[in-house]
Amino acid sequence: MSHQKSLEKRDGHSTKGIFSSDEPLIMGILNVTPDSFSDGARFNQFDQALAHAEEMIEQGADIIDIGGESTRPGAKAVSESEEIKRVIPLVERVSRLGVPVSVDTSKPGVMRASAEAGAGMINDVRALTEPGALAVVSEIKLPVCLMHMQGQPRTMQHNPSYQDVVSEVKGFLRERIAACVNAGIDTSLIAIDPGFGFGKTLPHNLELLTQLSCFNDLNVPILAGLSRKSMLGQITGRDVNDRLAASLAVALIAMQQGAKIIRVHDVKQTSDVKKIFIATNTAELI
Ligand code: 7PJ
């Protein structure tokens, strides 16, 4: 794995083979904030985001996930041209830092532009359900993460409802894997994600987390995004900026159930969790 990874690091673009890693990979979250649209503010944001990406790589990030559309509960939609303006210059620059860049988008135009800008992966919270998305990913031949969401970000937390959350989420992901394969996407390029907090109550999220290992028999890597999420606030009573310990606890629970990519804000601390996980897992084999 380290040999393959060092090859990837040299060209900085390709994630070919990244999903075949035995060890969990840490995906560092780089949000491009939409606060201001003036050029000056944009430049400032760009520099800050670049510095943040460099810091996360230094701390052990294996992938940098760049997102220009807020998918938080209640968030408004962003136009394709605005998303491209926010994200693509950063994708181009961060792709040269030596780790693969993932782009958190559902829009085929942003996916194509990301591939041209050097991105190494597409992370789609809508699992390539937007018209044209399957065809673009098949054409650009980048690894893709398919996430489950019930409803749409603006309203998804209003009344999430399932008969059996694990089997419904798993059934959806199984269908999306099949849709990808039908569109000509190689299974070695596919990862899945149950989508913690995306149209789910606390009991739904807890059931998915405690039964995450059930998703292993879909035979593609599992990505888990739990960092600082409101479910952790519901459990601990803590504010979003005070959820580090809870985030580390659930990162380890996810790793122990086979999650291969952990999407986090706190890369340095999650790297230590990963080291403990690897050390204890290796010890088991001796
Ligand atoms: C996720 C994501 C997640 C994947 C966001 C947040 C909300 N992509 N993008 N999985 N969450 N694959 O980070 O709180 O859980 S945005």
Side-chain angles (χ1 to χ4, degrees):
M1 129 137 209
S2 49
H3 175 62
Q4 181 157 26
K5 226 175 123 191
S6 69
L7 284 178
E8 283 168 13
K9 286 195 171 184
R10 230 164 285 141
D11 76 26
H13 288 185
S14 171
T15 35
K16 204 164 193 301
I18 194 161
F19 288 170
S20 61
S21 165
D22 293 334
E23 296 175 356
L25 300 172
I26 295 180
M27 173 185 266
I29 301 169
L30 191 63
N31 278 323
V32 189
T33 49
D35 317 333
S36 173
F37 299 100
S38 79
D39 281 350
R42 213 190 277 285
F43 184 72
N44 200 15
Q45 280 173 21
F46 181 93
D47 273 6
Q48 277 175 18
L50 179 59
H52 188 205
E54 285 169 339
E55 184 187 26
M56 290 194 289
I57 292 167
E58 187 81 8
Q59 293 174 336
D62 301 292
I63 304 170
I64 299 293
D65 189 43
I66 302 181
E69 182 206 10
S70 180
T71 42
R72 295 223 171 127
K76 284 204 197 110
V78 175
S79 75
E80 181 165 293
S81 62
E82 178 55 30
E83 203 177 316
I84 286 178
K85 260 191 260 173
R86 271 188 210 167
V87 160
I88 297 302
L90 204 52
V91 171
E92 213 160 69
R93 186 65 188 83
V94 176
S95 292
R96 284 189 255 133
L97 297 179
V99 306
V101 167
S102 154
V103 180
D104 194 338
T105 187
S106 299
K107 297 185 180 74
V110 180
M111 293 172 183
R112 192 185 297 280
S114 298
E116 285 163 6
M121 174 178 168
I122 301 298
N123 173 25
D124 185 4
V125 298
R126 294 181 183 80
L128 306 183
T129 55
E130 290 292 301
L134 274 171
V136 168
V137 169
S138 171
E139 194 189 318
I140 63 182
K141 296 190 162 47
L142 287 182
V144 62
C145 178
L146 308 169
M147 197 196 80
H148 174 273
M149 167 162 59
Q150 185 179 82
Q152 286 293 318
R154 210 168 53 75
T155 52
M156 64 190 177
Q157 289 307 105
H158 289 182
N159 187 26
S161 153
Y162 302 84
Q163 298 282 329
D164 177 342
V165 66
V166 173
S167 69
E168 287 172 46
V169 169
K170 193 170 169 181
F172 169 83
L173 293 172
R174 190 185 284 115
E175 278 172 24
R176 295 313 298 161
I177 293 169
C180 284
V181 170
N182 283 337
I185 299 168
D186 199 279
T187 45
S188 68
L189 297 178
I190 300 171
I192 50 160
D193 181 344
F196 292 103
F198 285 85
K200 281 127 191 149
T201 62
L202 177 60
H204 296 143
N205 287 317
L206 286 173
E207 202 164 330
L208 288 167
L209 178 58
T210 55
Q211 295 186 53
L212 195 61
S213 63
C214 293
F215 291 84
N216 284 313
D217 64 14
L218 293 175
N219 291 313
V220 294
I222 299 169
L223 187 154
L226 292 148
S227 184
R228 301 184 188 173
K229 282 198 173 165
S230 69
M231 62 182 281
L232 306 179
Q234 289 173 275
I235 298 167
T236 61
R238 299 207 187 273
D239 179 75
V240 65
N241 293 314
D242 199 13
R243 295 178 188 159
L244 174 59
S247 299
L248 298 176
V250 291
L252 182 60
I253 290 171
M255 286 178 198
Q256 286 180 322
Q257 295 197 69
K260 286 285 155 28
I261 306 172
I262 311 294
R263 183 179 178 277
V264 298
H265 300 87
D266 302 288
V267 171
K268 179 182 161 203
Q269 295 86 346
T270 312
S271 286
D272 283 359
V273 171
K274 169 175 160 176
K275 285 176 189 162
I276 298 296
F277 172 78
I278 291 169
T280 52
N281 252 37
T282 312
E284 258 173 41
L285 300 175
I286 294 169

